[in-house]
DNA sequence: TTAATAGTGTCTCTGAGACAATATAGT
DNA sequence: ACTATATTGTCTCAGAGACACTATTAA
């Protein structure tokens, strides 16, 4: 064993995006089908390696976000929530992946029945509980990301990021119910949300559905931290419906 | 411009440890003096590069923890809380650092006045507010780590990790006051802590200080998640004392 | 007895949970 | 009028905050 000067090992750095949205009042996550060989054909999170040596990690996450989904990147919430670098997780070598959580509002349908761009949205329940084949350790990353979203809904105004620019209180309640996987009392929810200063601000009256009283519209307010927080019921590990 | 096959850039991966403890009822962080040239002589967080190519990141954090402080690694709480990989943060090249938060109980003094090993413990206030010269972006990492500790104290039983195997309720209160930087009512604290099921369990009676009624001793209980959480007062950004 | 710290009791107010009642639209 | 949804009230109970009081030790 010679006395070579020690040099630190290098790793490949990647970003993975857990992009969540609501579809039919259920939490969905954006997945893509891998086109190249490690796990080719399997579903995986959007993401990839740093593009060039000087690219910032957050910038890479934003870039992937605008590549994979073509969303208004600036308006989206995007937050780092974990690092995954277990030695064996990628057969190509030592890959360390920084995981980001993004929340997207319900997008307008790509076209008519064109679920080609739509194919990527998968129900979070089926991904987490089902036997869907996922690449790498992406099932765990999704689980961690969803859990992070659940916690953030308690303490921040993140829920409004699931909605469009304006929304009704019922829309907002749907977000909480879908992400937490439980049912909430509409009356208590209404009271709570209204009382929380700066969470949502009025934005006119809606002309919405076919039947029933029209709901008031709101847009997200200035406050990002909810005080007091939204309280998640104790049995919030049960599955909805 | 030729059509070379694109290869992803590589980075050097490091871990940095924010090790917190209590000394004289004030929050302290462990810093070391850098011996080699980037920022040589400045204070920095304990940490370093991965040692070999197959080393797990968490394992590297544990290794650094037992190297820098020689603490009982198994007993310590150690949790990843962020990634710092801005391109310009290290003059040596592209270094991405995974930050860990560790909590250590008050250690027995290294010897008599031997503050050689003691020199590393710096007051968190002076580090965050002061003009102490810190290497890299370590001041921000410390700020993020301290903030993480503050939040975790609300929702988990982390506070007991600052104490020894047994402690009094006043000891525990000191932890909350030091980390949050506020004063708490001893009577309400007592009631709250006692009522929280599984947080702390009795462990005999103390024979403690020179004067006053001896306090009961406790050890940390089985519950790690506090329900309901400890509520941090609103003005918890003010400085204590 | 006094000093010093440990621990208990009480009152009030806010906020969560359960649930009834009213308002406003379309048909 | 009837149906469906939105919005407002009311009651009760748990828990936080403020504060007075009792208990147990050493000197």
């Amino acid at each position: 064993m010679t006395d070579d000067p020690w040099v630190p090992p290098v790793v490949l750095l990647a970003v993975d995006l857990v992009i969540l949205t609501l579809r039919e009042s259920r939490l969905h996550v954006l997945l893509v089908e891998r086109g190249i060989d490690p796990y080719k054909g399997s579903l995986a999170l959007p993401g990839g390696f740093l593009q060039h040596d000087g690219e910032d990690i957050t910038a890479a996450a934003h870039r992937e976000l605008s590549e994979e989904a073509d969303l208004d990147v600036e308006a989206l919430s995007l937050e780092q929530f974990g690092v995954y670098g277990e030695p064996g997780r990628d057969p190509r070598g030592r890959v360390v992946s920084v995981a980001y959580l993004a929340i997207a509002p319900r997008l307008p349908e790509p076209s008519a029945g064109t679920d080609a761009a739509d194919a990527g949205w998968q129900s979070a329940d089926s991904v987490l509980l089902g036997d869907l084949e996922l690449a790498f350790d992406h099932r765990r990353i999704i689980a961690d990301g969803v859990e992070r979203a659940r916690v953030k809904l308690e303490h921040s105004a993140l829920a409004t990021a699931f909605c469009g620019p304006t929304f009704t209180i019922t829309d907002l309640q749907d977000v909480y119910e879908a992400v937490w996987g439980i049912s909430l009392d509409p009356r208590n929810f209404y009271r709570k949300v209204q009382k929380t200063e700066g969470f949502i601000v009025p934005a006119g009256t809606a002309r919405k559905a076919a039947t029933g009283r029209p709901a008031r519209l709101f847009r997200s307010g200035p406050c990002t931290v909810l005080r007091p927080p939204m309280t998640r019921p104790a049995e919030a590990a049960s599955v909805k419906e």
Side-chain angles (χ1 to χ4, degrees), chain A:
Chain A
M1 196 171 181
T2 59
D3 205 5
D4 292 338
W6 174 83
V7 291
V10 295
V11 304
L12 297 173
L13 196 73
V15 295
D16 281 313
L17 269 57
V18 177
I19 309 175
L20 301 179
T21 195
L22 238 59
R23 298 177 72 83
E24 289 110 33
S25 293
R26 307 189 83 87
L27 189 65
H28 283 66
V29 58
L30 184 60
L31 296 178
V32 299
E33 189 178 328
R34 282 186 61 81
I36 58 175
D37 196 7
Y39 294 94
K40 177 171 181 176
S42 296
L43 292 177
L45 291 172
F49 293 113
L50 288 187
Q51 205 163 53
H52 59 273
D53 195 37
E55 187 177 40
D56 185 51
I57 305 179
T58 305
H62 277 97
R63 174 177 52 74
E64 292 289 343
L65 183 59
S66 59
E67 284 178 6
E68 303 284 356
D70 71 286
L71 310 170
D72 183 7
V73 178
E74 303 305 320
L76 250 59
S77 105
L78 186 62
E79 178 197 335
Q80 174 194 117
F81 72 88
V83 192
Y84 299 84
E86 207 187 345
R89 66 183 289 273
D90 191 318
R92 283 168 294 186
R94 189 67 194 272
V95 176
V96 172
S97 185
V98 181
Y100 281 79
L101 175 66
I103 307 297
R106 180 78 168 85
L107 305 173
E109 295 296 338
S111 278
T114 310
D115 60 0
D118 192 285
W121 291 112
Q122 300 285 338
S123 157
D125 285 341
S126 69
V127 168
L128 292 178
L129 302 174
D131 40 16
L132 203 63
E133 195 182 356
L134 283 186
F136 309 109
D137 49 4
H138 284 189
R139 192 189 310 275
R140 157 170 275 277
I141 297 179
I142 294 169
D144 292 346
V146 169
E147 178 56 30
R148 169 66 67 108
R150 288 190 174 126
V151 173
K152 282 216 77 178
L153 242 55
E154 294 183 70
H155 301 285
S156 77
L158 181 70
T160 60
F162 280 97
C163 305
T166 64
F167 48 87
T168 69
I169 292 192
T170 304
D171 291 338
L172 198 60
Q173 181 178 346
D174 283 344
V175 172
Y176 277 91
E177 292 188 332
V179 177
W180 284 351
I182 56 173
S183 299
L184 298 173
D185 185 298
R187 300 159 297 196
N188 292 335
F189 185 82
Y190 208 99
R191 170 165 50 96
K192 169 72 177 175
V193 167
Q194 289 273 46
K195 193 182 304 183
T196 304
E197 200 73 30
F199 187 8
I200 56 176
V201 295
T205 301
R207 181 139 310 280
K208 218 187 76 169
T211 178
R213 174 177 175 175
R216 278 185 290 175
L217 286 180
F218 297 85
R219 64 182 81 250
S220 62
C223 283
T224 60
V225 175
L226 304 183
R227 301 187 19 84
M230 290 277 163
T231 47
R232 175 156 57 143
E235 355 69 47
S238 59
V239 184
K240 184 181 166 188
E241 185 178 351

